[in-house]
Structures are given as C-alpha cells and as structure tokens.
C-alpha cells in the first residue's frame, strides 16, 4: 500500500505515522516547515506550502505520477491562527485559513480520487478535523472553524457520490488533545486553556495516541464497512 500523510510535523502527525508505519508499505509524508528526521525505509518526504494552492496541485500530480497511485490519505493539516476576536479579523485571515485548511487539502484529495477512479482502485481517505465544529467554535476561532467545517462538508459530499466506486471517506474530530499547539497559538492564554479543559466531561486531556488509534482502525480491515462517518474523540464532549 501507498500511504499519503499530510501534516507530519506536529505531535498528532507523528503519532499517526508511528502507529501505521510497518516497514513494508510506502509512506509519502508531507511537511510544511522543518524537515522531519525520519530514518526508516520506504519513506518519501515532500515539502508543501499549503497557502500555495496551484503549486500544491502541480506537486501532487508529480507525486502521483512517480508513485502511480495512493491507497490511503490521512489529512492532518490544521492551522488555527489567528486566535482573535471576530470583529478584529480581516478578510486576509479568512483567506489564509481557507487556503491551508480547506482548498489545498481538498484539491490534493480530488487529484487522488480522479487518479484512483481511472485506475479502478480503492482509496481510503481519513480527515483529521476538529471537535470545535460540534459547538460552532468560539468568537475567536472563526477562520479555523469555518475552513475546517467547509472541508468536512466537501468530503461528506464526495463520500455520498463515490462510495459505490470504492472511495472510502471518514472524519475524525479530536477534542482537547495534549499538544504544544496551545502554547504556539498567539493570544491563547493559560486561562483560556483551563476554561476550555473544564468543559471536557472526563476532565482529562486527550493524547495524540488517542487520535492515531482511531486512524489505525480506519485504515484497517476492521473498518471495511465504515463509510462517510464522523468520529468524535473528545473525552465525552
């Protein structure tokens, strides 16, 4: 099998890769900043700037041409910037978020769907989204909420259209996961975080492994009859 993992840099991306890597299949890993130091066989690393939609489309066509086909796509791309009041958000903030969280992942997925349909080959697509959609986000994360929601809607539409042609699409909505994203998000304070944590019924943070466990299930034969579903991994929210 050929795996395409979009977004390898963060803790969740690394956990997903470590969970699904087996040493036999081919793993095409997409990063957007620092090149990961992965010394394993059958690894192919590509750098993409998810704000450059046209360039990403050209690059994914090159990747498909080189590797013939992709059997499974895991989209773990997510940019939560900016975190600020909705009345202070500019149209450029929305534009950036839509490029990174919606347009680039969508068109990368579409290129692969077209290729696999031509080859009459199965394709398993797993989108790591966000549980903020369930609550319509907050007044400070509107670009992230809207762009992530848009991709969910688009993928569920594709699932409805192409399930009969062996295109399998499912969505994972992580809740509050223990990563360093919250420390890198400007204006997101410790007070914001503790307030958010109190909303989790289990009272606990999720672990990146909790998300990778779900991904592992969805790429396995155990989920062969699971199509077009949204799975919430959020400690009871």
């Amino acid at each position: 099998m050929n795996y395409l993992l979009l977004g390898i840099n963060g803790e969740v991306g690394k956990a997903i890769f470590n969970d699904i890597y087996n040493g036999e299949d081919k793993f095409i890993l997409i990063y957007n900043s620092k090149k990961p130091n992965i010394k394993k066989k059958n690894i192919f690393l590509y750098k993409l700037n998810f704000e450059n939609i046209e360039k990403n489309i050209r690059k994914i066509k090159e990747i498909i041409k080189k590797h013939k086909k992709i059997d499974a796509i895991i989209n773990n791309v997510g940019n939560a910037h900016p975190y600020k009041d909705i009345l202070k958000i500019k149209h450029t903030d929305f534009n950036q978020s839509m490029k990174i969280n919606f347009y680039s992942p969508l068109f990368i997925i579409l290129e692969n769907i077209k290729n696999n349909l031509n080859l009459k080959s199965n394709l398993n697509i797993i989108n790591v989204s966000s549980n903020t959609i369930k609550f319509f986000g907050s007044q400070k994360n509107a670009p992230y909420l809207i762009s992530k929601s848009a991709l969910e809607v688009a993928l569920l539409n594709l699932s409805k259209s192409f399930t009969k042609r062996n295109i399998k699409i499912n969505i994972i909505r992580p809740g509050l996961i223990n990563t360093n994203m919250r420390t890198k998000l400007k204006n997101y304070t410790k007070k914001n975080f503790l307030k958010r944590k109190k909303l989790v019924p289990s009272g606990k943070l999720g672990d990146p492994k909790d998300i990778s466990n779900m991904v592992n299930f969805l790429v396995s034969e155990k989920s062969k009859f699971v199509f077009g579903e949204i799975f919430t991994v959020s400690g009871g929210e």
Side-chain angles (χ1 to χ4, degrees):
M1 280 184 62
N2 292 346
Y3 290 86
L4 175 64
L5 174 54
L6 309 176
I8 184 64
N9 290 100
E11 292 99 321
V12 173
K14 290 173 183 175
I16 291 171
F17 169 71
N18 289 331
D19 236 13
I20 65 175
Y21 179 78
N22 54 27
E24 300 300 325
D25 294 321
K26 190 182 293 185
F27 294 83
I28 301 156
L29 309 178
I30 306 299
Y31 66 99
N32 69 337
S33 54
K34 185 178 179 181
K35 185 177 182 179
N37 183 24
I38 301 174
K39 298 184 182 299
K40 294 183 178 181
K41 66 177 184 178
N42 298 330
I43 300 298
F44 300 83
L45 291 163
Y46 297 92
K47 183 176 182 178
L48 294 184
N49 176 0
F50 277 79
E51 291 186 61
N52 195 327
I53 302 165
E54 295 297 330
K55 187 174 181 179
N56 292 335
I57 292 172
R58 291 196 298 271
K59 177 56 71 173
I60 200 62
K61 287 180 178 179
E62 293 174 9
I63 291 171
I64 291 170
K65 185 176 181 180
K66 177 177 180 178
H67 299 284
K68 309 304 180 186
K69 70 180 177 72
I70 302 297
D71 300 289
I73 302 173
I74 301 103
N75 175 45
N76 182 52
V77 173
N79 188 312
H81 299 278
Y83 185 80
K84 60 184 180 182
D85 192 284
I86 183 67
L87 298 179
K88 296 180 181 179
I89 290 175
K90 301 175 182 178
H91 72 277
T92 51
D93 295 325
F94 277 102
N95 193 34
Q96 181 187 46
S97 193
M98 291 297 286
K99 286 178 180 178
I100 296 172
N101 298 326
F102 176 55
Y103 289 121
S104 282
L106 176 62
F107 281 103
I108 287 172
I109 288 168
L110 288 174
E111 288 299 327
N112 280 282
I113 288 177
K114 287 187 284 186
N115 186 59
N116 284 53
L117 289 176
N118 288 334
L119 296 174
K120 296 182 180 179
S121 177
N122 295 0
L123 178 60
N124 188 350
I125 300 166
I126 301 164
N127 179 51
V128 180
S129 186
S130 173
N131 201 43
T132 192
I133 295 172
K134 185 175 181 180
F135 307 103
F136 305 107
S138 74
Q139 64 157 333
K140 292 190 176 182
N141 72 350
Y144 180 73
L145 166 70
I146 292 167
S147 56
K148 281 288 190 177
S149 299
L151 186 58
E152 281 199 8
V153 172
L155 292 177
L156 292 175
N157 175 272
L158 291 171
S159 178
K160 183 178 179 180
S161 301
F162 295 112
T163 290
K164 289 184 178 179
R165 299 183 69 179
N166 298 316
I167 306 297
K168 177 182 174 183
I169 302 174
N170 288 291
I171 294 166
I172 300 171
R173 286 181 177 174
L176 195 61
I177 306 299
N178 189 19
T179 70
N180 63 13
M181 179 182 288
R182 67 178 186 271
T183 63
K184 293 182 178 181
L185 190 58
K186 186 178 179 181
N187 300 323
Y188 189 73
T189 65
K190 185 176 181 180
K191 184 178 179 180
N192 295 137
F193 171 72
L194 292 175
K195 184 178 179 181
R196 174 71 180 83
K197 185 180 177 183
K198 288 180 180 179
L199 299 176
V200 182
S202 68
K204 301 176 182 178
L205 299 181
D207 187 87
K209 180 73 174 175
D210 295 318
I211 308 306
S212 66
N213 284 339
M214 182 59 74
V215 171
N216 208 5
F217 166 70
L218 290 173
V219 298
S220 75
E221 280 295 307
K222 295 178 181 179
S223 67
K224 65 182 180 180
F225 198 54
V226 179
F227 296 84
E229 295 296 334
I230 297 175
F231 297 90
T232 302
V233 183
S234 63
E237 282 191 304

